[in-house]
Amino acid sequence: MITSIANEKVKYVRSLYRRRVRYRERRFIIEGIRLVEEAYRAGIVPALVFYGEGIDALPGGWELLEEIHREKAPPFAVSEGVMKAMADTVSPQGVLAIVPFVELAPPPSPSLVLVIDRLRDPGNLGTILRSANAAGVEQVILAPQTVDHYNPKVVRGAMGAHFRLPIEALSWPEIAEALAGVQVLLADVRAEQAYYEVDWSRPSALIIGGEAYGASRAAMELATATIAIPMHGGAESLNAAVAASVILFEAARQRIALSTKVVL
């Protein structure tokens, strides 16, 4: 059992909380039996796995560790103090792993793309990624000045979306090239067109700007139209994650309705 935070493996884990180190090593941290299992089921073998004394209370915990062990990734037992030192959560979930960056290729011509522009809050980005995955988004693009999607808080909030959804950070010229030929819709509280008036059955890209600074000039120039969520009761705007979820699920609703009509 590893009992000292001076252990080299423990120091390595703690170093991955720095973005510069994550990108140098091409690895990131995941916590909890659910995320470790999702990564493993997606074909990702952890580089390192650590477990604490509470592993016995986690359903399927031992079985998963044994499977991972057979893939030549032996798990290391750690003390409660060491687990707390490595974890980013107040109450560690018993299992922590280091996994390689995920590089999923988007489809050749994605029909629904989400672009995140200058969003800085990791919790919001995690929630958006989780909603995007559930709403059928086929590609997520992170514009410059957006929080790193491998930030531990983003990873926890996304609840496994990293292992199922193509996500990549691109420059604005690269984004413009990727979105050539599709309608590009920018969410803007000042827009006159409501989000549900858009034909989401067309190949589309939605741009969500950050709450602190809003959409960048590059985003505004790329957008072919702006859309808004009508507000009632004196509300001025919604949280970026809530707004993205509302709009994306309207896109999903329209697409499901269209596919049902086609089948009928």
Side-chain angles (χ1 to χ4, degrees), residues 19 116 118-123 125-126 142-143 145-151 154:
R19 185 184 189 281
I116 310 297
R118 302 201 297 185
L119 185 70
R120 304 294 179 84
D121 184 86
L125 179 57
L142 306 180
Q145 301 180 53
T146 297
V147 64
D148 177 28
H149 61 297
Y150 290 118
N151 177 295
V154 177

Side-chain angles (χ1 to χ4, degrees), residues 5 11 21 34-35 67 120 125 133 141 171 174 219 233 239 259:
I5 62 172
K11 290 195 289 186
V21 178
R34 177 174 174 179
L35 276 183
E67 284 190 53
R120 304 294 179 84
L125 179 57
N133 181 216
I141 297 173
S171 67
E174 290 171 326
N239 168 284
S259 64

Side-chain angles (χ1 to χ4, degrees), residues 128-182:
I128 290 173
L129 293 178
R130 185 177 181 182
S131 293
N133 181 216
V137 169
E138 296 171 328
Q139 181 183 16
V140 174
I141 297 173
L142 306 180
Q145 301 180 53
T146 297
V147 64
D148 177 28
H149 61 297
Y150 290 118
N151 177 295
K153 289 183 174 61
V154 177
V155 174
R156 286 202 308 277
M159 295 294 287
H162 288 74
F163 310 122
R164 299 184 292 269
L165 184 61
I167 307 167
E168 59 182 336
L170 299 178
S171 67
W172 278 110
E174 290 171 326
I175 295 172
E177 182 179 356
L179 301 184
V182 307

Side-chain angles (χ1 to χ4, degrees), residues 188-219:
D188 186 342
V189 295
R190 300 163 296 184
E192 295 183 0
Q193 184 177 26
Y195 71 100
Y196 48 76
E197 296 174 336
V198 173
D199 179 7
W200 290 101
S201 66
R202 296 173 52 192
S204 306
L206 170 65
I207 302 178
I208 296 289
E211 293 167 340
Y213 303 102
S216 63
R217 180 174 295 276

Side-chain angles (χ1 to χ4, degrees), residues 53-109:
E53 298 170 1
I55 188 68
D56 293 323
L58 301 175
W62 276 120
E63 291 80 0
L64 177 61
L65 292 184
E66 288 173 356
E67 284 190 53
I68 293 174
H69 196 174
R70 285 194 290 271
E71 296 288 346
K72 299 182 180 180
F76 296 91
V78 299
S79 66
E80 181 180 354
V82 168
M83 182 61 80
K84 285 185 176 180
M86 292 192 299
D88 189 50
T89 52
V90 176
S91 300
Q93 302 177 50
V95 178
L96 182 148
I98 306 303
V99 295
F101 278 8
V102 185
E103 297 179 354
L104 300 177
S109 300

